[in-house]
Amino acid sequence: MAVGTIHNKDAFINKISSKLGRDRNESVILPKWEHRPQFEVLKGASSDELAAAFKNNSLEKSTYVVETDAKNLASALEKVIEKYGGGQLVASNDQRFTEYGLDELLKQTKAHVWNPVLGEENIAVTKKANIGMFFSDAALAESGTVVQFNDKDIARSISLLPMAYVSIIPKSTIVPRMTQVAQAIHKSVEEGNNLATCINFISGPSNSADIEMNIVIGVHGPVEAVHVIVNDM
Amino acid sequence: MAMKIGDKPFFDRVDDALEDNFMRNAMAEAQDGLRGRKLKATVEDEQIGDWEEWRSAGEEIRRHTLENLDYYLNQLSENFARQGGHVYFAETAEDATRYIQDVAKKKNAKKITKAKSMVTEEIGLNQALEEIGCDVYETDLAEYILQIDDHDRPSHIVVPSLHKNKEKIRDTFRDKANYTGTSEPCELTAFARSQLRETFLEADIGVTGCNFAVAESGTISLVTNEGNANMVTTFPKTQITVMGMERLVPTWEELDVMINLLSRSAVGQKITTYVTNLTPQLEEDSIDAPNEFHLVILDAGRSNALGTEFQSALHCIRCAACVNVCPVYRHIGGHAYGSIYQGPIGAVLSPILGGYEEYGELPYASSLCAACTEACPVKIPLHEHLIKHRENYVEKKGMTAEKMAMKTFGIGASSPALFKLAVKGMPAVLGPLVKDDSISSGPGPMKLWTSVREFPAPGKGNFRKWFDDHKKGRNQ
Ligand code: SF4
């Protein structure tokens, strides 16, 4: 990948240094923060407790929750698809669909599996789709949030364009809050890894309270959301 | 300057606002709702522990970041460019708009979608893009409402259309966009969805603001609810993000704390529906991601605060918690401030960005009750900044402190209700100071002029006459 350009940096930054009354700072050590309340939230919670908190907080965000295990995942998803009216299903291009034995379900439901080779056709199908299905990479108990690390296969459109999103959440990936995910990302950056182009934290259907403070569910993103927790432990 | 709203002098705008009963009721209701939600998600939410600890965490992170702003901006820009993004440091609003116009021209862009765009409002970006023939679409519901209502101006930094009720919105949609539905918020929202759906997919460029940038990874973080910011950053092949130069954090660990403070303080949510973190890992064969990403880092007066007593004003994360508790905002509404930044933070920030000539009277739009300071999730001493601004302004204008005090009191006394708030609504602050019907000393609301002389405490009636008398004095 070509390196991008930077314009006017030195004049701009030197002005800041001089306003701050010193020479330009070439190295800064991050202080050890005195206040760290984020680590106290759901501290020491068991995986059952985390799953219960995740469930409650998902419900609070107008999200339908299903709990199942790996063996019954396909049939649980089938019921969800039926409950939400069937129609076109789109799935991310993710190895985990095979690992969890869902290939048959995708075939049966004539799902469109995102395929970069097909180009714009993916968007044309997804914008008319009823359900977008994807695996969550991590989930936050505190807020009923799923996390996607998007790239060209785990496409951004899938959780965004269809009327409903259905996210599959392996129970082992539920952590107390954003803190644990942020820590993992920070560590990965420190190790010199590149980040996914989009790291998306999603908590239920899109909504707005801009008109007289009334919460309206379903604005530009999905109108419905389903979290399917799979016991993989 | 695009930051400015209207041409009337501040005191006239206040008078206008005080006559607008509809607006005042709307403001009061909205403030109560927003404040209630914030309390539920902060001090009343046991799950997150001690909210004060969170505020202290926010304060220390913001202080450290601003003290080392040069270092972190360098790090951010290097990391952004290393991964293929383009960074433009803009000294002024004009520099920023010129650069963005150039990008739009190079891309031969016609349709531009925008989200999360208060900073682009500040630099007057829509107008600049329209001048070169682009069609610009605001996509935040509130901004969309303002745009189709002949570019009405924002009245609140989180909910810019706060001054409009659903009937007004219905009428605007009907008159300007052939809407035929009812005033039900669901129906109005569905209309906006249907109007913008194809535009999102067809746009050539997506423009966003920035809640936080993460220096260590060159990431832009957007905190939203409606899904429009995702639309704007997913489908156009070119993305342009404009950020105030102070809106960054060192690492993801600090981002985590700031997202929590912002989500809970701004909208009373544990986390907003979307926290979208975008890094320019540009893949040529990605179908639903930009392959060109520009970051415009804006000064536009912010550096005026660096190294001064106002530096902590740059700690602001634009949550509007201070706005939602301000008794003066409640009465005069957002437009009276004459700036796109309203309420206590607007009164602190606008003179820093736009100068005392234009905004020097804004710091008088406060009763100095300090509710703003208490509400602020990053502990900015807003009322102290307001006092300091007043001192500077008086000095600059060569006015006597007493004369400025009259002005201030004029605002407070121009409506009995506002006056009560300014003077008697804070017994804890003022009560003990009111003796024998005169206010003799003390901090808070009366500090400026009680330091000059004893001031008559307002009587029980006829505030308007009192105000008129003193207003005459003001104009002499
Ligand atoms: S000054 Fe504090 S309370 Fe006001 S908007 Fe900024 S961060 Fe929020």
Side-chain angles (χ1 to χ4, degrees):
Chain A
M1 176 194 326
V3 171
T5 52
I6 307 181
H7 303 272
N8 305 341
K9 184 177 81 173
D10 287 332
F12 191 98
I13 290 185
N14 289 342
K15 179 177 170 191
I16 291 175
S17 310
S18 97
K19 291 259 182 187
L20 288 167
R22 54 167 171 69
D23 290 338
R24 195 152 142 188
N25 234 343
E26 297 297 349
S27 96
V28 170
I29 295 169
L30 206 59
K32 211 165 162 25
W33 304 115
E34 261 177 56
H35 305 275
R36 300 163 71 82
Q38 66 270 39
F39 294 97
E40 300 305 313
V41 179
L42 290 163
K43 192 177 179 177
S46 68
S47 61
D48 283 346
E49 286 164 340
L50 291 175
F54 175 79
K55 179 180 173 182
N56 287 338
N57 286 312
S58 297
L59 292 170
E60 213 177 82
K61 296 280 284 207
S62 313
T63 300
Y64 181 65
V65 181
V66 176
E67 289 171 281
T68 184
D69 53 27
K71 202 166 77 218
N72 295 302
L73 177 60
S75 66
L77 287 172
E78 215 172 319
K79 281 189 200 124
V80 166
I81 293 166
E82 204 185 299
K83 180 177 161 66
Y84 284 87
Q88 179 68 58
L89 174 72
V90 177
S92 56
N93 192 10
D94 190 327
Q95 194 53 37
R96 284 173 287 184
F97 280 101
T98 306
E99 286 164 18
Y100 277 84
L102 300 174
D103 287 340
E104 192 49 39
L105 175 78
L106 295 181
K107 213 185 280 169
Q108 254 177 39
T109 53
K110 298 199 177 74
H112 173 86
V113 176
W114 192 273
N115 179 359
V117 176
L118 298 176
E120 292 292 322
E121 190 189 325
N122 291 286
I123 294 177
V125 175
T126 309
K127 77 174 184 188
K128 293 196 186 127
N130 187 37
I131 296 173
M133 195 181 280
F134 61 92
F135 275 85
S136 166
D137 293 303
L140 317 183
E142 179 197 82
S143 49
T145 305
V146 297
V147 186
Q148 270 194 304
F149 287 72
N150 295 116
D151 59 22
K152 62 181 194 292
D153 292 307
I154 315 289
R156 306 179 190 193
S157 301
I158 294 164
S159 61
L160 184 63
L161 285 178
M163 288 303 279
Y165 82 70
V166 176
S167 181
I168 305 163
I169 299 117
K171 189 174 165 188
S172 62
T173 65
I174 304 176
V175 296
R177 66 185 315 283
M178 190 179 174
T179 306
Q180 289 71 27
V181 179
Q183 258 188 323
I185 295 171
H186 172 56
K187 196 160 167 266
S188 172
V189 172
E190 277 192 328
E191 286 165 1
N193 299 315
N194 283 326
L195 292 185
T197 172
C198 175
I199 301 178
N200 211 352
F201 292 73
I202 307 168
S203 314
S206 63
N207 60 83
S208 174
D210 279 357
I211 302 177
E212 288 191 11
M213 304 285 111
N214 289 292
I215 294 186
V216 175
I217 305 289
V219 190
H220 299 298
V223 179
E224 314 263 9
V226 184
H227 289 172
V228 180
I229 306 169
V230 199
N231 194 344
D232 59 337
M233 301 174 81
Chain B
M1 169 167 206
M3 207 177 105
K4 191 177 163 190
I5 300 180
D7 289 320
K8 282 189 180 180
F10 174 55
F11 285 87
D12 292 350
R13 289 195 306 265
V14 171
D15 286 346
D16 290 351
L18 289 169
E19 276 159 25
D20 187 344
N21 283 332
F22 164 74
M23 182 279 299
R24 286 168 54 188
N25 287 340
M27 288 294 159
E29 270 178 41
Q31 259 196 336
D32 291 343
L34 286 163
R35 182 164 36 181
R37 273 196 229 163
K38 183 208 168 202
L39 289 174
K40 214 164 149 238
T42 56
V43 285
E44 291 168 15
D45 186 352
E46 285 170 14
Q47 194 182 24
I48 53 156
D50 183 1
W51 179 244
E52 281 307 303
E53 269 294 288
W54 283 95
R55 290 180 74 214
S56 300
E59 184 193 20
E60 66 175 331
I61 289 169
R62 293 303 286 147
R63 179 175 308 122
H64 168 82
T65 309
L66 266 295
E67 281 172 357
N68 298 287
L69 188 61
D70 47 354
Y71 175 78
Y72 289 119
L73 279 177
N74 182 52
Q75 194 187 17
L76 170 70
S77 60
E78 292 294 332
N79 283 328
F80 195 85
R82 180 176 51 76
Q83 299 171 93
H86 302 287
V87 183
Y88 184 83
F89 283 94
E91 192 70 39
T92 64
E94 292 71 32
D95 291 345
T97 51
R98 205 177 313 116
Y99 178 77
I100 298 167
Q101 280 179 328
D102 286 347
V103 174
K105 280 186 208 155
K106 254 185 235 149
K107 293 278 137 193
N108 205 11
K110 289 280 163 290
K111 273 193 182 177
I112 297 182
T113 45
K114 282 178 69 200
K116 206 79 237 179
S117 55
M118 198 53 84
V119 69
T120 62
E121 185 88 31
E122 180 188 323
I123 62 173
L125 184 59
N126 287 12
Q127 209 189 343
L129 287 169
E130 281 160 8
E131 271 166 22
I132 59 162
C134 298
D135 293 325
V136 183
Y137 297 85
E138 293 290 353
T139 68
D140 290 334
L141 184 55
E143 301 267 7
Y144 172 76
I145 292 166
L146 296 183
Q147 188 181 34
I148 67 169
D149 196 3
D150 295 330
H151 304 273
D152 194 5
R153 303 305 306 269
S155 60
H156 186 274
I157 55 179
V158 172
V159 191
S161 62
L162 201 67
H163 56 289
K164 294 189 188 299
N165 68 3
K166 54 185 197 284
E167 283 76 24
K168 276 198 176 178
I169 296 168
R170 176 204 54 205
D171 294 350
T172 304
F173 281 14
R174 187 192 54 212
D175 297 346
K176 310 279 161 125
N178 301 322
Y179 173 70
T180 53
T182 69
S183 62
E184 271 311 300
C186 283
E187 225 178 304
L188 293 166
T189 306
F191 179 72
R193 178 183 168 107
S194 67
Q195 293 285 298
L196 287 170
R197 186 79 172 175
E198 284 304 316
T199 306
F200 281 125
L201 295 165
E202 292 163 2
D204 305 300
I205 295 180
V207 174
T208 76
C210 167
N211 289 106
F212 301 103
V214 187
E216 71 167 340
S217 60
T219 303
I220 303 304
S221 186
L222 298 171
V223 177
T224 65
N225 277 311
E226 296 174 1
N228 62 315
N230 296 65
M231 291 288 206
V232 166
T233 55
T234 293
F235 299 108
K237 282 295 154 205
T238 301
Q239 181 182 341
I240 303 174
T241 290
V242 186
M243 67 174 273
M245 67 176 196
E246 77 286 12
R247 303 298 289 278
L248 80 174
V249 290
T251 80
W252 275 77
E253 296 200 326
E254 290 76 43
L255 177 70
D256 164 41
V257 176
M258 301 321 298
I259 298 280
N260 191 49
L261 289 167
L262 178 59
S263 301
R264 288 173 186 269
S265 301
V267 280
Q269 288 174 296
K270 292 171 180 172
I271 193 169
T272 52
T273 305
Y274 299 98
V275 177
T276 308
N277 304 283
L278 303 158
T279 308
Q281 280 292 329
L282 309 170
E283 298 171 303
E284 272 309 316
D285 54 349
S286 212
I287 297 148
D288 62 350
N291 53 27
E292 198 172 307
F293 195 168
H294 298 259
L295 175 62
V296 178
I297 301 176
L298 181 73
D299 182 337
R302 286 160 174 77
S303 58
N304 295 337
L306 287 176
T308 75
E309 62 269 60
F310 296 114
Q311 185 164 312
S312 70
L314 300 180
H315 297 177
C316 175
I317 59 172
R318 304 285 190 278
C319 70
C322 58
V323 183
N324 299 337
V325 296
C326 178
V328 173
Y329 177 87
R330 188 180 186 91
H331 280 78
I332 67 175
H335 287 165
Y337 289 81
S339 163
I340 61 160
Y341 300 117
Q342 315 85 13
I345 185 58
V348 170
L349 206 57
S350 306
I352 294 170
L353 301 182
Y356 285 122
E357 203 50 56
E358 196 73 70
Y359 298 105
E361 289 179 338
L362 276 195
Y364 290 86
S366 166
S367 65
L368 300 182
C369 67
C372 49
T373 300
E374 269 167 47
C376 178
V378 291
K379 292 190 172 176
I380 300 171
L382 290 157
H383 70 295
E384 287 172 23
H385 287 328
L386 291 170
I387 293 170
K388 187 66 200 157
H389 269 319
R390 292 180 188 191
E391 287 170 8
N392 291 355
Y393 184 59
V394 165
E395 209 172 289
K396 188 172 181 302
K397 282 269 174 185
M399 296 171 93
T400 62
E402 189 177 17
K403 206 162 182 183
M404 280 317 299
M406 292 296 184
K407 279 193 162 193
T408 318
F409 212 49
I411 302 172
S414 60
S415 103
L418 184 55
F419 184 80
K420 262 191 219 149
L421 280 160
V423 181
K424 290 192 170 163
M426 290 79 60
V429 180
L430 256 190
L433 308 173
V434 181
K435 282 185 216 136
D436 303 329
D437 283 342
S438 73
I439 300 161
S440 55
S441 65
M446 301 299 156
K447 184 178 175 175
L448 185 62
W449 61 87
T450 53
S451 63
V452 180
R453 69 165 201 196
E454 286 213 342
F455 205 81
K460 290 196 175 64
N462 212 358
F463 293 109
R464 179 67 66 181
K465 184 176 177 310
W466 184 96
F467 172 56
D468 286 343
D469 291 347
H470 285 86
K471 201 172 175 190
K472 278 181 212 135
R474 178 187 107 205
N475 292 329
Q476 279 160 14

